[in-house]
């Protein structure tokens, strides 16, 4: 299936033939999905593929290298997931828009992706035309959510309108959490960082509270998303 009519990318005004093509990066760890989107982009003269990536870290590197107008970002990828990658890309390249792509239809994933800075969310099992509409909307400065997600919860709208305080960890807090996530005991962390055991326990609890993490399992997931685990 082709991309259809002219996409309203408006860096330069005018008809399709005179508009600058939107530069697109595709990040997905599945070869088949990546190749399918590449084919759709190749069929649309208003879009230009600048790079592909197969994991979150590579997506960030390619984004910094090419400064694309749009990234189609898979959420579940190795090394660094799409949510964390989106957050880092948006910090480094605020003019780059991100469209989340996922098999997950739960609203918790949608909210996490939007909070990270994405401008849209599309399900992988949806028809190609849905991806087309999402690209059109996002390049026109709008937000697009896949209709297959169903009605948008009121709680989601309210959450996204509230300012999200930035969580700032000290270097010591970050080091402690990183080591704990790597299965070091409190005693081992204390020895490695030349701290007292009491200080490690207190700073670990303080940092966990800052991040809203309630268990080591949640900490490991957070650490993996931040790329702390290698």
């Amino acid at each position: 299936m082709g991309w259809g009519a002219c996409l309203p990318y408006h860096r330069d005004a005018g008809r399709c033939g005179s508009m600058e093509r939107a530069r697109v990066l595709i990040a997905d760890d599945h070869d088949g999905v990546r190749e399918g989107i590449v084919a759709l982009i190749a069929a649309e003269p208003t879009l230009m593929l600048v790079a592909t990536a197969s994991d979150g870290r590579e997506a960030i590197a390619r984004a910094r290298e090419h400064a694309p107008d749009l990234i189609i970002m898979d959420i579940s990828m190795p090394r660094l997931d799409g949510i964390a990658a989106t957050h880092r890309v948006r910090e480094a390249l605020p003019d780059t828009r991100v469209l989340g792509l996922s098999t997950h239809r739960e609203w918790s994933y949608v909210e996490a992706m939007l909070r990270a800075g994405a401008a849209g969310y599309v399900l992988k099992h949806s028809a190609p035309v849905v991806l087309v509409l999402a690209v059109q909307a996002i390049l026109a400065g709008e937000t697009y959510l896949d209709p297959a997600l169903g009605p948008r919860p009121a709680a989601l709208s309210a959450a996204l309108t509230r300012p999200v305080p930035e969580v700032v960890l000290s270097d010591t807090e970050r080091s402690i959490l990183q080591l704990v996530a790597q299965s070091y005991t409190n005693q081992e962390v204390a020895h490695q960082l030349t701290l007292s055991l009491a200080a490690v326990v207190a700073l670990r609890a303080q940092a966990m509270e800052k991040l809203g993490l309630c268990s080591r399992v949640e900490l490991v997931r957070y650490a993996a998303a931040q790329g702390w685990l290698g």
Side-chain angles (χ1 to χ4, degrees):
M1 176 179 288
W3 283 81
C6 170
L7 300 183
Y9 182 60
H10 50 78
R11 178 175 289 178
D12 293 323
R15 297 180 179 274
C16 278
S18 62
M19 276 199 269
E20 183 177 344
R21 290 191 294 170
R23 297 157 49 79
V24 181
L25 186 157
I26 300 168
D28 197 295
D29 63 325
H30 295 286
D31 293 342
V33 173
R34 208 165 52 242
E35 291 168 3
I37 301 174
V38 167
L40 289 174
I41 291 174
E44 172 52 52
T46 60
L47 299 177
M48 177 175 64
L49 179 69
V50 294
T52 63
S54 58
D55 63 63
R57 290 187 181 178
E58 187 181 9
I60 295 170
R62 297 290 81 77
R64 287 174 173 167
E65 180 181 356
H66 297 282
D69 300 297
L70 173 69
I71 301 176
I72 299 175
M73 183 85 78
D74 184 20
I75 289 182
S76 300
M77 291 188 291
R79 299 180 72 200
L80 190 69
D81 66 41
I83 296 171
T86 295
H87 179 73
R88 295 189 187 183
V89 166
R90 292 285 294 159
E91 281 188 333
L93 302 165
D95 292 333
T96 294
R97 295 180 176 275
V98 178
L99 169 61
L101 187 66
S102 180
T103 58
H104 298 293
R105 60 185 306 127
E106 295 85 357
W107 282 102
S108 59
Y109 286 95
V110 181
E111 178 177 354
M113 199 61 177
L114 295 179
R115 282 187 175 277
Y121 193 102
V122 169
L123 296 171
K124 286 189 177 182
H125 62 69
S126 293
V129 67
V130 176
L131 187 61
V132 174
L133 294 173
V135 169
Q136 290 176 335
I138 290 174
L139 290 177
E142 302 170 5
T143 299
Y144 185 93
L145 299 181
D146 195 321
L149 291 166
R152 181 170 176 167
L156 174 62
S157 299
L160 293 176
T161 59
R162 293 195 299 267
V164 181
E166 181 182 1
V167 176
V168 179
L169 298 178
S170 69
D171 290 341
T172 302
E173 288 173 334
R174 182 184 183 282
S175 296
I176 289 171
L177 292 190
Q178 186 170 3
L179 290 170
V180 170
Q182 293 173 351
S183 299
Y184 286 84
T185 66
N186 287 339
Q187 187 67 54
E188 290 169 332
V189 173
H191 176 73
Q192 187 157 331
L193 299 180
T194 319
L195 296 169
S196 69
L197 178 59
V200 168
V201 171
L203 289 171
R204 173 181 174 175
Q206 178 177 290
M208 293 277 286
E209 184 177 359
K210 281 184 180 181
L211 296 171
L213 304 176
C214 300
S215 67
R216 186 178 176 278
V217 172
E218 291 182 358
L219 170 58
V220 171
R221 288 175 180 166
Y222 176 84
Q226 299 302 309
W228 292 356
L229 302 183

